[in-house]
Amino acid sequence: MSAIRGARERARIEVTAAIKDEARKQLAEEGAAKLSLRAVARELGMVSSALYRYFPSRDDLLTALIVDAYDAIGEAAERAHRPAAAGTTKTPAPATGLDRWTAVACAVRDWALAHPHEYALIYGSPVPGYTAPQDTVAPAARVGLVLIAIVEEAHREEGIALPPLADELRPEAERLAADLAPGLAPAVAAPLVAAWSQLFGLISFEVFGQFNRVVEAREVFFRQAVTELARTVGLLGKRG
């Protein structure tokens, strides 16, 4: 009986993967708003009722794709942060906080450029009628947690000076530090959240074509911008 259960589980995994692969093709061709379970079933030669046993609704399938995309971009960030822990033995560990910050930012950008439709699913326009469930929260936080870890390590190991903090921002900065990064001073937590959002703003401008006929040397531009973001969280010391 265990062999039969094992075969059934393998078959379920294979069918689930095929459904997701076909759904990703639809994302690339039609966009998330037009994702259709019936169309996916038709392309796979399945009846709709059979597909519903794997994903009861379009939203369930969308959620699975969103979680996969967040996990994939999160894994890219984590591998860049700690190559040895990720099994990337040929890649030396970045030496300084700035090196780790840059490596992670570039890994996230590389993933986004290689998977533009999946990136658009998680960082593009909201899908009409879809509300992301709680299941997406932890995967969505993975890149942010890596950035927090980098700054925590750098401030602990390199003794970097804290950036200035405006008095009117202090209550919000204290809340952010308590909620997101208890190991960081409030003066760092607020600019870190800003840097996180600006990192994805840079990547989104490139993925969605906003830099066309504006920025040509995009990798050089990106690295310089990322360095400036690192400065705001104290990785290069105080400005000036």
Side-chain angles (χ1 to χ4, degrees):
M1 290 296 294
S2 61
I4 294 174
R5 286 197 298 271
R8 287 175 177 169
E9 182 59 28
R10 287 194 299 273
R12 183 173 184 84
I13 291 171
E14 291 173 1
V15 173
T16 300
I19 292 170
K20 290 180 179 179
D21 287 344
E22 180 57 37
R24 292 187 187 99
K25 291 179 183 177
Q26 283 196 21
L27 290 180
E29 295 170 1
E30 303 288 345
K34 294 185 179 180
L35 181 63
S36 163
L37 290 184
R38 290 183 179 276
V40 170
R42 183 172 60 250
E43 291 299 321
L44 293 176
M46 300 173 64
V47 295
S48 298
S49 58
L51 191 146
Y52 292 144
R53 291 200 294 269
Y54 295 86
F55 297 100
S57 70
R58 182 210 67 162
D59 285 5
D60 291 308
L61 179 53
L62 268 177
T63 296
L65 297 176
I66 288 168
V67 168
D68 284 354
Y70 275 131
D71 278 337
I73 199 170
E75 286 169 9
E78 291 160 4
R79 285 196 302 270
H81 180 212
R82 301 194 186 282
T88 315
T89 55
K90 295 182 180 179
T91 303
T96 68
L98 176 60
D99 291 336
R100 291 190 287 271
W101 178 273
T102 303
V104 167
C106 289
V108 170
R109 172 180 177 264
D110 289 344
W111 185 90
L113 293 175
H115 305 86
H117 303 294
E118 291 169 70
Y119 181 86
L121 181 63
I122 53 178
Y123 290 108
S125 300
V127 180
Y130 173 80
T131 300
Q134 189 69 21
D135 296 354
T136 63
V137 173
R142 289 176 68 168
V143 173
L145 291 175
V146 171
L147 297 178
I148 290 170
I150 291 169
V151 177
E152 286 179 337
E153 291 164 3
H155 282 258
R156 183 174 62 249
E157 297 168 5
E158 301 172 28
I160 295 170
L162 297 178
L165 177 63
D167 289 341
E168 60 268 25
L169 184 58
R170 182 166 295 279
E172 179 66 6
E174 290 175 348
R175 185 193 65 78
L176 288 170
D179 289 350
L180 303 177
L184 288 177
V188 181
L192 179 54
V193 172
W196 181 11
S197 65
Q198 290 172 72
L199 169 62
F200 281 101
L202 284 165
I203 293 170
S204 293
F205 258 53
E206 185 170 1
V207 171
F208 301 140
Q210 301 300 319
F211 282 152
N212 291 349
R213 292 184 289 183
V214 178
V215 177
E216 298 297 335
R218 292 175 187 168
E219 183 171 355
V220 174
F221 179 88
F222 179 80
R223 284 178 173 271
Q224 179 60 36
V226 164
T227 299
E228 288 302 309
L229 293 179
R231 187 189 301 277
T232 68
V233 297
L235 294 184
L236 297 180
K238 291 184 178 179
R239 185 181 295 275

